[in-house]
Amino acid sequence: MAQKPSIPKGTRDFGPNETAARNYIFDTIKSVFKTYGFSQIETPAMENLSTLLGKYGEEGDKLLFRILNSGDAFAKVDLSENDSKKISLQVCEKGLRYDLTVPFARYVVQHRDEITFPFKRFQIQPVWRADRPQKGRYREFYQCDADVIGSKSQLNELELVQIVDKVFQQFGIRVCIKINNRKLLTGLAEIAGAPDQVTDITVAIDKIDKIGLEAVKNEMREKGLSEQAITVIEPVLTLSGSNREKMAQMKNIFQGEICSESGLKGVAEIEELLDYIELADIQNEVEIDLSLARGLNYYTGAIFEVKALDFAIGSICGGGRYDNLTGIFGLPDTSGVGISFGADRIYDVLGGLNKFPEQLRSCTQILFADMGEVPYLIPVVSQLRERGIACEIYPEKSKLKKQFDYADKKNIPFLSICGSNEAETGMIQLKNLASGEQRSFDKGDLDGICAFISAS
Amino acid sequence: MAQKPSIPKGTRDFGPNETAARNYIFDTIKSVFKTYGFSQIETPAMENLSTLLGKYGEEGDKLLFRILNSGDAFAKVDLSENDSKKISLQVCEKGLRYDLTVPFARYVVQHRDEITFPFKRFQIQPVWRADRPQKGRYREFYQCDADVIGSKSQLNELELVQIVDKVFQQFGIRVCIKINNRKLLTGLAEIAGAPDQVTDITVAIDKIDKIGLEAVKNEMREKGLSEQAITVIEPVLTLSGSNREKMAQMKNIFQGEICSESGLKGVAEIEELLDYIELADIQNEVEIDLSLARGLNYYTGAIFEVKALDFAIGSICGGGRYDNLTGIFGLPDTSGVGISFGADRIYDVLGGLNKFPEQLRSCTQILFADMGEVPYLIPVVSQLRERGIACEIYPEKSKLKKQFDYADKKNIPFLSICGSNEAETGMIQLKNLASGEQRSFDKGDLDGICAFISAS
């Protein structure tokens, strides 16, 4: 009779410990976003498919979860045609959010008259993708995005770098913040005489660490780039020195025989950002990395990517500037820049480096055992809760062993065993379960109890 | 070309102010849950339809949002049959969560070996229902549930009453906490000689305030209850006095010519709960209300409902005890008791009574205008943010009027206008926009700046 319960593949239940750990990640990121004046918004899980389709490429369209129209979805549909693509468009008008960026663009356009620009918003919500589930890839996962829309200033780029720096400082994770600028890559393609081959060039450059200079040059040859083009690009492949030195070299390259306005604009933007960064007391490493190609077709200016230094995992945060995000919804020329934190990967890094705060593991501070004196305990426990101390009275008069196990499994640090003696004399017994230290307090001595709890 | 953007009917976007107000509600409820030792869990938005179907009645099944299987959902489906109910079951294996209770029951059964019982969990997540959208009814809305599972003690009922009391104290909303017990209604039907007509009797009793005694009696006659039965029930309809007096009268009724074990058990449970409540310093009104019938077919013991005293709206919180929630998933005899806060209605009450805290309206505390001295401001602003002060530098050198408007629209309480004079002398100007008070600080005097900010 009974069903064996399970959840859809690629989805997860989060129990008390995992939820506490995830909330720690979200709350930390959120508190940093707030000190930079970002406001939180929330959009619906369901969007019209017309909002979502065509925004993530052909592959993305396939990965959208579609929602069957309510009522009799098939009533007016001609099923005899047997074209499942057509049928699915007729029976599904809505889909689940695939990311936070497209709904944000839709939000900005829909609410443009209510919004104060420049609009600094953050959003922490789940997204859904019908990807093949595999290790570390889920069909439901959270994104944590911050974007500024309606300002072209590099100050926004600085603030995103500061946010990244601050968030990972708070997590105790050492990172390298990599920065590139799409305009540098555009410029490079221009001076190589191959303005249409930005992607080919970038993809090749990206492989230099793995396959070496000669192989990269061969790959460019295979992509049809001329020897002259490769000669122009080669110095970029061996770019070295400080960020400032790299920019000086790039400037020279873009001012050479063939001059690139785009390239020089990119250099100027990065130099302005570096000026700001030097003023801002950034603690983590910042590295200009010309091979960074993240979301190339989408970004138009700065590109960011963050890697953990002490844990092997893909990028844990990334973003960039886009100049025409809202154009698809009818609001052109609105420049924005944003970043997105990968909560699941950050979870893995914090776990792997053992950086989660110890106190996450327990939410209750005192367990009052039920020794048959519950009425005596109720007012005491109420007063402690008034002071913000999370307490529980064990709700069954079970064997002390069972009550003790409950405290142990829930990582409750203090146990109070008050029987008829304590009730008669108005005392509260408290035991620190880690140290074994035991103290007795007058039931009115809330200050004493609180001090004993917080001293541990 | 451009699409006019919109969202599915019955769903909502929440802008910065609404999200801040909603977070205030969730955070307040969450912090109270935590002081009572409840742990948060999260379950996936999508559940297998086999988990959801049949749990909410026939009407509920129709209101489930179903998700089209990914890949080619229609490939192996015989569309010629033209039976849309059958087709939809073949093309949709998943649905969106309809409430938090069934997923919780599923969670408990699925994870029974990892869970420490009694299990005190809370969950704050959206649910989706394909209801006809109307004022105050949405297709996506949040539920905030707390349940204790695996304990039959009335101490759990007490804690839920305390939580309700505390949450609404914190909101500044005066409420009446109504309590009933399903066993009283069962007992009443028993002594009336109509044990199968619990629902008919309760529905009739429920109307007494609206239609009066005679009409209620007539309704019971129409439902086929005998005159003798009505004579037995009548005293319950005119039950008066304190909660204790009501219980004394009920006890007499259940000990009469026909005795009801269920009824007496119900009286004993409520009396035990009242004993506890008297010890717990509850600030809001608690009223035993025999007409409370909420979720009758589901609850087996205590029933709770909370009404705002100063604002006309339906119940803003409710719950009760259920003895067989997990039975459907193969774990029988696990008693639980829970409550659910209605966040949307609480939002309306807080708004209607003007009880939202003033500071929710702004998240940034100081706007630094861009007077061409951004490099001067960057280190100062970084240091203020280190101290937890939310600051922004306006990212464009726009007209001061525009920058001022930005502060005004975002409800930013302090404006700093620092030009070349301030930069040269190392000073920071600060103006309290509400009072007009203006002060000048040395840029290193962070204590002074923080004191000026927090004094307002």
Side-chain angles (χ1 to χ4, degrees), chain B residues 49-64:
Chain B
L49 274 177
S50 57
T51 299
L52 302 176
L53 285 169
K55 308 306 187 298
Y56 308 104
E58 215 172 299
E59 201 47 42
D61 284 353
K62 285 186 197 152
L63 300 183
L64 292 172

Side-chain angles (χ1 to χ4, degrees), chain B residues 317-361:
Chain B
C317 178
R321 179 173 285 277
Y322 40 83
D323 278 340
N324 201 17
L325 181 69
T326 57
I328 36 170
F329 297 115
L331 186 68
D333 303 324
T334 307
S335 188
V337 58
I339 43 164
S340 182
F341 287 86
D344 285 304
R345 284 189 177 166
I346 293 171
Y347 185 95
D348 290 344
V349 176
L350 286 168
L353 299 175
N354 204 15
K355 293 281 189 187
F356 278 116
E358 185 62 27
Q359 65 268 29
L360 289 184
R361 294 179 57 235

Side-chain angles (χ1 to χ4, degrees), chain B residues 249-303:
Chain B
Q249 291 165 62
M250 291 304 295
K251 200 168 182 175
N252 275 334
I253 292 170
F254 291 132
Q255 285 171 329
E257 223 160 295
I258 309 170
C259 177
S260 164
E261 283 299 321
S262 293
L264 289 173
K265 182 80 172 51
V267 170
E269 285 182 6
I270 291 197
E271 286 186 332
E272 188 182 2
L273 179 53
L274 289 174
D275 288 344
Y276 284 153
I277 285 174
E278 278 165 17
L279 293 165
D281 193 29
I282 303 291
Q283 299 292 304
N284 283 288
E285 196 181 315
V286 173
E287 186 192 323
I288 304 299
D289 180 352
L290 272 287
S291 72
L292 194 62
R294 194 190 164 84
L296 190 66
N297 296 316
Y298 174 70
Y299 295 127
T300 51
I303 304 174

Side-chain angles (χ1 to χ4, degrees), chain A residues 3 13 50 106 151 166 396, chain B residues 3 13 50 106 151 396:
Chain A
Q3 302 169 308
D13 282 325
S50 57
R106 192 267 309 144
S151 165
K166 188 72 198 163
E396 309 277 341
Chain B
Q3 303 169 309
D13 281 326
S50 57
R106 193 267 309 145
S151 165
E396 308 278 341

